[in-house]
Amino acid sequence: MNILNRYTLITGGTEGIGLELAKLFAADKHNLIIVARNEDKLEDIKVEFEKEYKITVEIIPTDLCVDKFCEKIINVVEEKKIIVDNLINNAGIGSFGFFAESEEGFEAKLININIIALTTLTKYFLKGMIKRGNGGILNVASTAAFTSGPKMSMYYSSKAYVLSLTEAIHDEVKSLGIRVSCLCPGPVKTSFQESAGIKKSEKAKKYLMDANRVAKEAYLGFIKGKTIIIPGYKNKLLILGNKLIPRVLSRKIILKNNS
Ligand SMILES: NC(=O)c1ccc[n+]([C@@H]2O[C@H](COP(=O)([O-])OP(=O)(O)OC[C@H]3O[C@@H](n4cnc5c(N)ncnc54)[C@H](OP(=O)(O)O)[C@@H]3O)[C@@H](O)[C@H]2O)c1
């Protein structure tokens, strides 16, 4: 049911996993607030979704890597008296290579978007959900959250934070009727891999999951109130295997794969 002024907010909802999640929520008649940097793309999606799904779409062009980013989102929501029923913290960045050789200042950008924006938005919107006694938050981590990742150290560490925070909040609020889930995909066919400078062999490219399949599993898991959603049986097996081996060994395997 399309209820006036009740919305699902998605960061990074113009491409990849975020866009596919946006389509699923829109098909279920959720109004949307979409956050991303590219204003033209946001405008196009607003026009397309409002026509196709008969919902209202608010767009907030924002760079989540930059300080004060969340203020803009919160201001729009408060000014328009919007109720955010579901928050999807999807936007995130990564960078391939040795920590000491990463671009100057990249660490602040990554922490701002992957950790601070996600935490700030989670805390702000969770308070409203607790008052109303309903709502849901889906935080996007990665299978990278389960181990340490040489040559992608900041990304793996930030996703470990997302997983740990989300699991803890899930337990804190589940008796209050609020769903809090963590999505942990393995490699997905989106522009993320290229933006992060990850080079995949032709063989490895065959194992990339489609973003729409990841989003479908995420959506179903979120509706069911699952704590951790790992799309695809290969990723589930990978995580299980990783739990059975010493951390030193999983780091060695990742370093070898990343060389
Ligand atoms: N793809 C994978 O292999 C993979 C695997 C596991 C987990 N994940 C996680 O899944 C999430 C989504 O990744 P994806 O692969 O779907 O990425 P994607 O296809 O590259 O899409 C990224 C989305 O985030 C937005 N975005 C990027 N930087 C932003 C910024 N600074 N401020 C605001 N919005 C920003 C982009 O729009 P603009 O460019 O217009 O800002 C776009 O809408 C990320 O958290 C990622 O870590 C991805």
Side-chain angles (χ1 to χ4, degrees):
M1 198 175 37
N2 182 7
I3 306 169
L4 220 61
N5 268 9
R6 301 186 84 96
Y7 283 74
T8 290
L9 191 157
I10 308 184
T11 66
T14 57
E15 268 186 65
I17 301 167
L19 175 62
E20 296 304 323
L21 279 167
K23 287 181 193 166
L24 294 172
F25 278 90
D28 245 353
K29 295 286 176 227
H30 290 246
N31 295 314
L32 298 177
I33 307 171
I34 304 181
V35 178
R37 290 166 304 177
N38 187 321
E39 209 163 339
D40 292 341
K41 225 182 241 178
L42 282 166
E43 293 283 0
D44 289 349
I45 287 174
K46 177 179 166 63
V47 172
E48 185 194 322
F49 275 36
E50 288 187 338
K51 189 170 169 223
E52 165 109 22
Y53 300 106
K54 312 276 180 283
I55 56 163
T56 305
V57 179
E58 299 286 344
I59 51 171
I60 310 182
T62 309
D63 187 345
L64 293 169
C65 288
V66 179
D67 280 337
K68 306 274 181 209
F69 38 78
C70 291
E71 250 174 45
K72 189 171 170 189
I73 299 172
I74 291 166
N75 285 345
V76 171
V77 167
E78 288 186 350
E79 263 169 34
K80 299 197 171 185
K81 298 197 181 353
I82 285 173
I83 293 170
V84 172
D85 278 327
N86 295 295
L87 166 67
I88 302 166
N89 279 305
N90 162 74
I93 58 170
S95 167
F96 183 81
F98 289 112
F99 175 69
E101 293 170 8
S102 59
E103 178 200 317
E104 216 44 58
F106 181 77
E107 58 280 7
K109 287 186 189 168
L110 181 137
I111 291 168
N112 279 345
I113 186 167
N114 291 15
I115 295 183
I116 300 179
L118 176 141
T119 309
T120 308
L121 294 175
T122 296
K123 186 172 175 190
Y124 178 81
F125 289 111
L126 184 63
K127 284 181 183 177
M129 291 174 194
I130 291 173
K131 263 194 211 146
R132 294 189 298 277
N134 70 55
I137 299 176
L138 177 65
N139 286 336
V140 182
S142 161
T143 48
F146 295 89
T147 179
S148 178
K151 289 187 83 175
M152 246 187 128
S153 57
M154 290 185 273
Y155 181 73
Y156 277 60
S157 314
S158 69
K159 295 301 187 183
Y161 170 88
V162 173
L163 175 61
S164 180
L165 180 82
T166 311
E167 280 186 285
I169 299 173
H170 172 95
D171 286 358
E172 287 178 8
V173 301
K174 82 173 164 201
S175 63
L176 307 176
I178 298 154
R179 290 187 297 265
V180 180
S181 304
C182 190
L183 172 64
C184 297
V188 188
K189 227 178 278 169
T190 69
S191 57
F192 170 85
Q193 302 270 333
E194 203 186 322
S195 312
I198 302 168
K199 289 183 187 71
K200 292 263 177 221
S201 65
E202 285 311 309
K203 195 175 159 216
K205 278 183 192 161
K206 287 189 189 140
Y207 293 100
L208 293 170
M209 276 182 85
D210 284 330
N212 64 357
R213 204 184 133 203
V214 171
K216 275 182 192 153
E217 287 201 36
Y219 190 72
L220 284 179
F222 177 62
I223 297 297
K224 283 184 192 157
K226 282 180 81 171
T227 320
I228 302 173
I229 305 157
I230 303 171
Y233 76 92
K234 283 183 192 148
N235 291 321
K236 288 186 184 73
L237 278 176
L238 182 94
I239 297 306
L240 187 66
N242 185 58
K243 281 182 187 158
L244 301 174
I245 62 171
R247 281 177 75 85
V248 62
L249 188 55
S250 65
R251 289 200 302 277
K252 269 191 189 148
I253 295 169
I254 289 164
L255 186 57
K256 192 162 177 271
N257 283 345
N258 285 347
S259 297

